[in-house]
Every structure is written in C-alpha cells, then in structure tokens.
Amino acid sequence: MSSCLNLQNTASGAASSPQPTPPNQTPPIHPSVERYERLLAGVAASTNVLLTSQNYRKSIDQALSILGEATGVDRVYIFETHPHPIHKAPAMSQRWEWAAPGVAPEINNPDLQNLLYSDCFPRWYEKLSINQPVFGPVSEFPTEEREILEPQGILSILVVPIRIQNHFWGFVGFDQCQTVHAWTPVEVSTLWAIAGSFGGTVARHRAEVALQELNHSLEARVETRTQELTVANAELSAAMKKLRKTQSQLIHTEKMSSLGQLVAGIAHEINNPANFIFGNLKHAQRYAEDLLDMVDLYQTEYPEETPRIAEALDDLEFEFIRDDFVSLMASAREGVTRIRLIVESLRNFSRLDESECKQVDIHQGINSALNFLQHRLRSTVDGTGVNVITKFDSHLPPVECYSASLNQVFMNILTNAVDALEEKTREQRSQRPNELKIETLLGADGRVVVRIKDNGNGMKAGIRDKIFDPFFTSKPVGKGTGLGLSIAHQIVVREHHGEIKCQSAEDIGSTFEIWLPVRQVRGLINSDIA
C-alpha cells in the first residue's frame, strides 16, 4: 500500500511540474514494486498448489516453499492452536515448516509443541484471536517474547491468523534471521490472503476425513446387514451417492471461496496502479501535444533551419514520431482501459461483499463471464473464433438473487457452449460459422428469462436427458468433471426457486433457458437445499 501511495504522490507532483525522463533512458523500477510483483506471483502460485493438489500435506509443504522463496524470508511455518492436553488452556503446536538453505529448521524442536500462549505469547493470542496480525522487529517485542524468539535467531517476524469457519485455528509465520525487514501494509494484506487458502485447505481435509470415516462406517453396516436388510441396503446406497455429491460440492465450494478471495484482493491491488497510469496518460498526451505545437510554432516563425537543427531533425525522424505518437498513446490508453475492464469484471464476478440476496442487474454478470472468455471467443486463423450476439432487454427489472452464485451459472453454461463450438470440424465451421446468441427478456409469467444459444453439434436425446445429473459428462477424461451443469441446476432451482431448461438437436446446436423470479419469497430461500 505504501508503494501505491508513493505512485499517487508522484502523479500529483507530475501534474504541477512534470519531470521528463532523459532521452533513451528507461525509468528504473522501484525495488518495492519488484518485491511486490514477486510476492503476488508467489501467492498466486501457492494458492494454485493448494487448490489443485490432491495430497493434503504435500500441497501445504509446496505452498510454504513457494512463499518462502517469493518473500525472501528464512522460515515459513504453520502453528495450530488447540487446548493444552493437561491444562486445557489455549496452546500452540508447530505442524509445518520451510527453512531456507543454511537456516536451522525448528520443526523438531519439542519446545514448540503444546506451548501455552499464557506462558509466553499472551499478546499474540489476544491479537490473533480477534483476527489481527503480529509483525515487526523482534527487538521491539516484549521481553518474554524476545527470550523465546532471539535464541532461534529471529530478527523480524510476521504472523497472520488462520481462521476456519470464522474461528481462530492457528497462524502462518514468516521469520527473517539474516536481516531486519520492515513489513509494509501491502505485504501484510497480500500474505493475509494466503492464510485464507491455508484455512480452506485444512477445512477441506477435515471434511474429507470426516466423510471418509462416515463412508467406512456406512460400508461396514451395509456389509454386515446386507442379507437381512435389503430395503435398508437400498436406502444406504442412496445415502452414499448423496454423500459423494455433497463431498464434491464441498470441495468445489472451498476452492471457489479461496479463489474468489484471492481474485477480489488482486483486482483491488491492480486497480490502483491502473488508475494511476490511466490518469497520467492524459497529462502525458497533453504535454506532448503542447510540445509538438511549440515545435510547429517555431517552424512557422523561423522557417529557415540552421544546419545543426536540420541534421538533428533528420536523425530524430521527427515526422515519423509526430505521426506515430497519436497511435502510440491510443494503444496505451486502450491497454489500460482493457486492464480496468478486466478488474471490473473480476469484481463483478466474485462479489464477495454481496453474500446476501440482493437486487442486481444480471447483465453485469453475463458481461463479466463473457469478458473472462474473451481469449476463447476471438477470431483465429483456423476459424475457431466465435461471433457473440447479445440482445439484452434494457427495461429488464433488477433480479433479487445471490449474484456470485448466479454468475457461476452463467460462466458454467457459457463455457459449455464454447466447448461445444470448439468441437466442430473445420468443414462444419465453414458451413456454420461459430455463433453464440445471448438474449434476456421478461417472460409472460413475470419471470426474467436468460436464453443462451449456440450452433454447435448439439446432443443426442440420451445425453440431453442426463446433463444435469451429478458427475455425468460426455467430455473426454480429464476435461470435464460432470459437476458444472449439476451445480448450475442446484443454484437456479434450489437457491433461487427458478427453472433451467435445455433444448438440443444434432447438427443444429443447443439452447439453455434460465427462468428466474424477480423477487424471492421470504423464508423460502435455501429452505429446501439438500
């Protein structure tokens, strides 16, 4: 955050007295910017490992290693908070650790197991339990804390709380043993995001273990009573299927939650420098145009050039610069505008601040999903681009809904439509160029209708009847999970009391219709979610 403030101060100064960069010299990148970019890359890479790895302990070990190298610290570790086995008071125990080469690890130190907060870190527990970080040079910490930290060679430290289901579970710590590092608010807030990912991974593992234990228990009961209770066996089989569905949806929800938090955080941080660049481009263009006008005035008032000026103009290629400058500035403004559009799409899509049911413009969610799919919609040499046709009803009323969930529905259906278009052969694309139509309207019964139509190869009747079943997919192994349309169906039907329909014909394409009530009936929302 401090680096962003420096940029803003520089921007305001530039507006009053510009300081031009010397010719042929690239402005240096501030070290704090390089460190922050490396930190963001580390947080993104470690989050990706936590979300995609199937090995619980290995994923956390890898994430700590990535964070350690990205932050340049000497140790990164995770402590779990739990009741002391004897005193029952809050205690901490080290569970994971990464140490830089040449730094002695502390993972096997018995003094770091079942350590009572009240004996040495009462201040830590007080701050961490109310979701506040602890950081700074160890030399400025209380005496009882220094007596524990200094023998480990720790000069400065950052400790960020890990919360699971809004409860204090433990913390992730970063040690500096070689130098004293002053942690900036931007670094603290960025590393705070990864604490949420660690919490999501631990919570997911807990849920998986609990479900596995429940599965084992149910399987044992089924095995011993199969011959006696045929009817009960059928009921338990259905329960197992439901548990499998619940387990997969729980994992998916945890991943989406962690990813949404990271996306929202990065979008916020990108927005500041993007706005700074966008604002300064306008001033830079005006300054340059003023200078070119001054050159024109000089050429008008002094048409006779001296030999030195003529030679300098030839070397400078002044006429080329004059012509190219306009397109150069336009390209720069277009690029920054694109960044701002992507940031706005990220914010609209995640909507972490709108967990309640609110009235929203569903067109924003559809446009956000289309922005994310732009890289797959653009025209290409082989003709795989998609012509998107939108027909939005400008008089459509706001829809009362859970916007983040509904955005996920739009993304799942649009992604499936693009997948279907990409499956067409070159000959099919030449006969029926890829086309995606999106229409919104108010139905005759007062419900809002979103119609998404593609001209792909369509589906056979046997496949069309199963597309909303959990785990059913017609895609190759490794490309589809069979959960996208199932989750979309649950969000529309159970969360929003709406309706989702599909019509499809081979060699013609598929059409999905989403019917949503404009207002939700109070007391019914989520009442029937299984």
Side-chain angles (χ1 to χ4, degrees):
M1 188 172 294
S2 59
S3 59
C4 293
L5 290 174
N6 289 337
L7 287 174
Q8 293 167 355
N9 292 337
T10 304
S12 62
S16 58
S17 76
Q19 299 295 325
T21 302
N24 303 322
Q25 180 174 336
T26 302
I29 299 177
H30 197 279
S32 63
V33 176
E34 291 184 337
R35 175 179 174 84
Y36 184 54
E37 290 177 344
R38 186 171 66 252
L39 192 61
L40 276 179
V43 169
S46 57
T47 299
N48 181 61
V49 168
L50 293 172
L51 293 177
T52 58
S53 178
Q54 298 299 317
N55 189 312
Y56 163 65
R57 300 199 65 84
K58 185 178 179 181
S59 67
I60 295 183
D61 287 335
Q62 285 184 286
L64 292 180
S65 175
I66 293 171
L67 284 176
E69 295 176 359
T71 56
V73 299
D74 298 297
R75 291 192 197 96
V76 188
Y77 45 83
I78 293 177
F79 275 71
E80 180 182 0
T81 297
H82 57 87
H84 192 276
I86 298 175
H87 306 290
K88 307 304 179 183
M92 67 174 80
S93 292
Q94 187 169 14
R95 303 304 189 202
W96 284 273
E97 181 190 47
W98 171 88
V103 177
E106 296 287 343
I107 188 65
N108 295 321
N109 186 347
D111 293 336
L112 299 182
Q113 303 297 317
N114 299 317
L115 190 62
L116 284 167
Y117 278 100
S118 57
D119 286 350
C120 50
F121 295 113
R123 181 178 70 97
W124 285 28
Y125 185 78
E126 180 181 353
K127 293 177 70 68
L128 296 173
S129 61
I130 59 174
N131 204 30
Q132 292 184 3
V134 176
F135 60 98
V138 172
S139 61
E140 298 177 5
F141 282 19
T143 303
E144 61 270 24
E145 296 179 10
R146 294 202 310 273
E147 291 175 353
I148 296 174
L149 300 174
E150 289 177 346
Q152 301 177 48
I154 303 173
L155 300 179
S156 63
I157 192 171
L158 167 62
V159 177
V160 181
I162 298 175
R163 301 182 71 83
I164 297 178
Q165 296 179 345
N166 208 28
H167 293 289
F168 174 45
W169 177 87
F171 59 84
V172 55
F174 302 84
D175 287 351
Q176 283 281 18
C177 301
Q178 309 295 328
T179 59
V180 177
H181 179 67
W183 296 96
T184 66
V186 168
E187 292 174 322
V188 174
S189 62
T190 302
L191 292 174
W192 209 326
I194 197 62
S197 297
F198 281 125
T201 300
V202 174
R204 186 180 72 203
H205 176 70
R206 282 181 169 181
E208 291 173 345
V209 170
L211 287 170
Q212 287 173 1
E213 292 175 353
L214 181 57
N215 286 345
H216 292 326
S217 174
L218 290 174
E219 289 171 354
R221 291 176 58 192
V222 170
E223 183 177 357
T224 58
R225 301 179 61 186
T226 298
Q227 300 301 323
E228 302 173 357
L229 303 170
T230 304
V231 176
N233 180 51
E235 294 175 351
L236 287 173
S237 177
M240 292 288 288
K241 182 178 180 181
K242 187 175 181 179
L243 281 173
R244 183 176 173 223
K245 176 183 177 182
T246 303
Q247 180 185 23
S248 298
Q249 290 178 343
L250 176 62
I251 294 172
H252 179 83
T253 300
E254 290 291 345
K255 287 183 178 180
M256 291 300 295
S257 174
S258 299
L259 183 59
Q261 292 176 15
L262 179 64
V263 164
I266 292 177
H268 174 74
E269 296 300 335
I270 292 176
N271 196 44
N272 286 338
N275 287 336
F276 159 74
I277 296 172
F278 186 82
N280 278 0
L281 279 175
K282 180 169 38 176
H283 298 301
Q285 184 171 6
R286 190 179 75 247
Y287 298 156
E289 289 173 350
D290 290 344
L291 291 174
L292 290 174
D293 290 343
M294 181 61 70
V295 172
D296 289 340
L297 182 61
Y298 266 98
Q299 288 179 335
T300 301
E301 296 296 325
Y302 301 97
E304 297 298 330
E305 301 172 347
T306 66
R308 289 184 61 189
I309 292 177
E311 181 180 358
L313 288 174
D314 288 339
D315 293 340
L316 185 62
E317 298 183 2
F318 179 71
E319 293 302 326
F320 170 77
I321 292 176
R322 179 195 295 276
D323 295 337
D324 190 55
F325 179 76
V326 175
S327 60
L328 184 148
M329 292 302 296
S331 297
R333 288 174 66 87
E334 180 181 353
V336 177
T337 301
R338 175 65 180 156
I339 292 174
R340 297 174 77 191
L341 178 61
I342 292 173
V343 169
E344 185 63 26
S345 297
L346 288 171
R347 285 177 168 176
N348 289 338
F349 190 77
S350 61
R351 289 190 181 271
L352 293 180
D353 56 337
E354 297 185 9
S355 59
E356 298 179 357
C357 192
K358 296 183 178 181
Q359 294 183 8
V360 299
D361 179 2
I362 62 172
H363 296 147
Q364 288 185 352
I366 297 173
N367 286 326
S368 295
L370 287 173
N371 281 331
F372 288 134
L373 292 171
Q374 277 300 314
H375 65 288
R376 299 181 63 186
L377 299 175
R378 296 191 188 98
S379 299
T380 56
V381 178
D382 59 358
T384 57
V386 181
N387 180 29
V388 179
I389 302 172
T390 58
K391 185 180 179 182
F392 292 164
D393 186 348
S394 59
H395 301 293
L396 205 67
V399 176
E400 190 174 27
C401 65
Y402 296 97
S403 57
S405 297
L406 202 57
N407 288 346
Q408 186 179 343
V409 173
F410 298 144
M411 177 62 81
N412 288 350
I413 294 177
L414 288 171
T415 299
N416 277 2
V418 175
D419 289 343
L421 293 173
E422 290 179 346
E423 291 174 0
K424 291 164 61 176
T425 63
R426 183 185 295 271
E427 181 179 356
Q428 290 170 331
R429 290 195 299 271
S430 65
Q431 297 173 353
R432 292 181 290 118
N434 289 343
E435 191 173 82
L436 183 60
K437 295 182 179 178
I438 307 170
E439 182 182 5
T440 62
L441 63 145
L442 193 62
D445 60 357
R447 292 187 296 176
V448 168
V449 183
V450 179
R451 185 176 294 134
I452 300 174
K453 181 179 181 181
D454 67 72
N455 66 341
N457 292 330
M459 295 177 281
K460 298 179 180 179
I463 294 178
R464 185 181 64 243
D465 296 339
K466 298 178 181 179
I467 58 174
F468 296 119
D469 293 348
F471 310 110
F472 175 80
T473 178
S474 60
K475 297 178 182 178
V477 176
K479 189 172 182 181
T481 64
L483 285 174
L485 290 179
S486 173
I487 292 174
H489 185 273
Q490 176 167 311
I491 291 172
V492 172
V493 176
R494 296 194 175 187
E495 286 191 20
H496 294 89
H497 303 93
E499 189 177 0
I500 183 169
K501 307 175 184 178
C502 175
Q503 296 179 345
S504 185
E506 292 187 74
D507 299 325
I508 295 179
S510 302
T511 301
F512 283 84
E513 286 188 357
I514 303 167
W515 293 67
L516 297 167
V518 176
R519 298 289 179 270
Q520 294 289 337
V521 179
R522 297 305 176 192
L524 291 181
I525 299 176
N526 286 334
S527 62
D528 60 343
I529 296 178

